[in-house]
């Protein structure tokens, strides 16, 4: 069956919104600052970066999280390769991705490389010797269980749990834990109780910490044992 691409509308300020989930792809205030706060700081990055560090993500979206991470990796001057695997059910069309990322001129160089390699079919994209990005297309409830990787850090970035509950269920959180390296972490913008309980049941020690912007709280978690 052919993969479904994302249907995107636009809010003032060139913010892309998923028509399917009626939810913006990034913060209406500052998507770049949100990614740095939630997913980088939430996973104690860039302090943990090292050659071969592997990040996995639920929800690739515009690619903003990857590009922000790549910028941080380059800024730290880490010797070696960053590995980044993302699971995406509804990939963006190339034109929509290009338009969305135009809002972040400081990422232009890497965004250009991403857009040039991007296909809604996913696959492997390389950014010199610095990073390897793999985007796996399909429902994560099917694709994650058969993935052969283990991440040191997870970015849990699906659309709102109220609108996209499939990407936050307890079974999927167990799959996340099963594909996390010892001592690995995960972070997400949501502090929804059922998400935190699902992570705890999966084997994570969960903390509710200060969120970004208008969101009072977010969640970070560390795999036990």
């Amino acid at each position: 069956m052919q993969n479904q691409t994302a249907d995107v509308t636009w809010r003032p300020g060139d913010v892309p919104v998923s028509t399917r989930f009626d939810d913006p792809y990034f913060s209406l205030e500052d998507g770049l600052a949100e990614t740095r706060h939630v997913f980088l700081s939430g996973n104690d990055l860039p302090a943990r970066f090292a050659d071969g560090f592997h990040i996995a993500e639920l929800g690739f979206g515009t690619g903003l999280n990857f590009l922000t991470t790549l910028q941080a990796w380059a800024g730290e001057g880490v010797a070696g390769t960053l590995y980044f695997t993302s699971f995406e059910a509804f990939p963006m069309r190339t034109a929509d991705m290009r338009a969305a990322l135009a809002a972040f001129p400081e990422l232009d160089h890497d965004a250009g490389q991403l857009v040039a390699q991007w296909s809604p079919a996913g696959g492997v994209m390389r950014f010199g010797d610095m990073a390897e990005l793999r985007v796996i297309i399909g429902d994560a409830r099917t694709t994650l269980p058969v993935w052969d990787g283990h991440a040191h850090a997870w970015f849990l970035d699906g659309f709102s749990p109220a609108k996209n509950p499939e990407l936050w269920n307890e079974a999927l959180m167990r799959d996340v834990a099963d594909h996390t390296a010892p001592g690995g972490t995960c972070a997400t913008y949501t502090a929804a109780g059922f998400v935190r309980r699902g992570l705890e049941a999966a084997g994570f020690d969960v903390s509710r910490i200060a969120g970004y912007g208008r969101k009072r709280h977010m969640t970070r978690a560390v795999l036990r044992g």
Side-chain angles (χ1 to χ4, degrees):
M1 185 175 69
Q2 187 176 12
N3 294 317
Q4 292 181 281
T5 52
D7 293 321
V8 178
T9 56
W10 300 87
R11 288 189 185 169
D14 295 327
V15 175
V17 176
S18 166
T19 304
R20 180 176 281 102
F21 297 107
D22 188 28
D23 208 20
Y25 278 89
F26 46 72
S27 169
L28 301 178
E29 298 173 54
D30 186 336
L32 191 53
E34 179 185 45
T35 291
R36 288 170 176 155
H37 178 86
V38 175
F39 297 113
L40 294 184
S41 295
N43 281 290
D44 296 326
L45 303 175
R48 296 169 59 208
F49 282 157
D51 182 23
F53 196 82
H54 199 152
I55 294 169
E57 173 184 58
L58 296 183
F60 187 69
T62 65
L64 178 60
N65 293 341
F66 168 72
L67 293 171
T68 306
T69 305
L70 186 61
Q71 182 190 59
W73 179 271
E76 289 295 299
V78 184
T81 304
L82 169 70
Y83 295 91
F84 195 108
T85 301
S86 190
F87 298 84
E88 174 59 63
F90 302 105
M92 269 194 163
R93 298 176 181 89
T94 303
D96 287 333
M97 180 177 286
R98 181 185 295 110
L101 293 174
F104 307 100
E106 69 180 273
L107 301 176
D108 273 355
H109 175 72
D110 293 331
Q113 291 191 67
L114 172 60
V115 171
Q117 298 181 75
W118 176 250
S119 165
V124 177
M125 288 149 271
R126 292 183 173 84
F127 296 75
D129 295 328
M130 190 164 52
E132 180 181 287
L133 166 66
R134 181 183 299 271
V135 179
I136 299 172
I137 304 300
D139 189 326
R141 292 173 296 179
T142 301
T143 57
L144 176 53
V146 297
W147 182 47
D148 62 1
H150 288 81
H152 300 101
W154 278 89
F155 297 175
L156 305 182
D157 196 22
F159 290 110
S160 164
K163 299 176 180 181
N164 185 200
E166 299 84 1
L167 210 57
W168 302 97
N169 67 55
E170 192 168 306
L172 191 56
M173 295 303 99
R174 286 196 299 271
D175 289 327
V176 167
D178 288 344
H179 292 85
T180 301
T185 61
C186 63
T188 177
Y189 63 86
T190 184
F194 83 92
V195 173
R196 290 187 286 113
R197 290 190 293 272
L199 287 167
E200 287 172 347
F204 288 92
D205 288 327
V206 179
S207 303
R208 190 173 69 165
I209 62 175
Y212 174 77
R214 300 175 190 176
K215 293 187 174 73
R216 291 181 59 194
H217 299 110
M218 56 170 276
T219 301
R220 62 159 282 136
V222 181
L223 189 65
R224 290 193 294 267

